[in-house]
């Protein structure tokens, strides 16, 4: 079962990188949050090692 609660992640980024990132996201009709969530999911999957992950996080959807 997928977790429905959300948590906020605050990060600092160079303004120029943020602008370019948001422009690229918009050009692909994605929000920056969608892209960051995908990046985090992929990072977890690639670096979880022997950790037991929830089934929904193991899937590559």
């Amino acid at each position: 079962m997928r977790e429905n609660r959300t948590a906020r992640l605050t990060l600092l980024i160079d303004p120029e990188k943020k602008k370019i990132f948001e422009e690229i996201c918009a050009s692909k009709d994605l929000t920056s949050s969608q892209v960051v969530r995908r990046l985090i999911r992929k990072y977890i999957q690639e670096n979880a090692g022997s950790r037991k992950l929830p089934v929904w996080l193991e899937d590559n959807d």
Side-chain angles (χ1 to χ4, degrees):
M1 176 178 212
R2 177 168 259 167
E3 181 65 52
N4 290 323
R5 294 180 294 169
T6 59
R8 183 174 307 271
L9 174 67
T10 303
L11 59 103
L12 300 176
I13 186 172
D14 174 89
E16 187 174 357
K17 287 179 190 160
K18 180 179 182 285
K19 181 179 182 291
I20 294 168
F21 179 65
E22 289 176 336
E23 288 171 356
I24 294 169
C25 292
S27 74
K28 298 182 177 295
D29 199 26
L30 297 167
T31 66
S32 55
S33 290
Q34 288 172 311
V35 175
V36 170
R37 284 192 297 268
R38 287 179 186 177
L39 291 169
I40 291 171
R41 173 188 289 257
K42 183 175 180 175
Y43 185 85
I44 291 170
Q45 290 169 335
E46 291 176 353
N47 295 282
S50 62
R51 287 179 181 83
K52 175 74 173 130
L53 298 177
V55 173
W56 60 264
L57 192 53
E58 293 173 351
D59 295 341
N60 288 320
D61 55 348

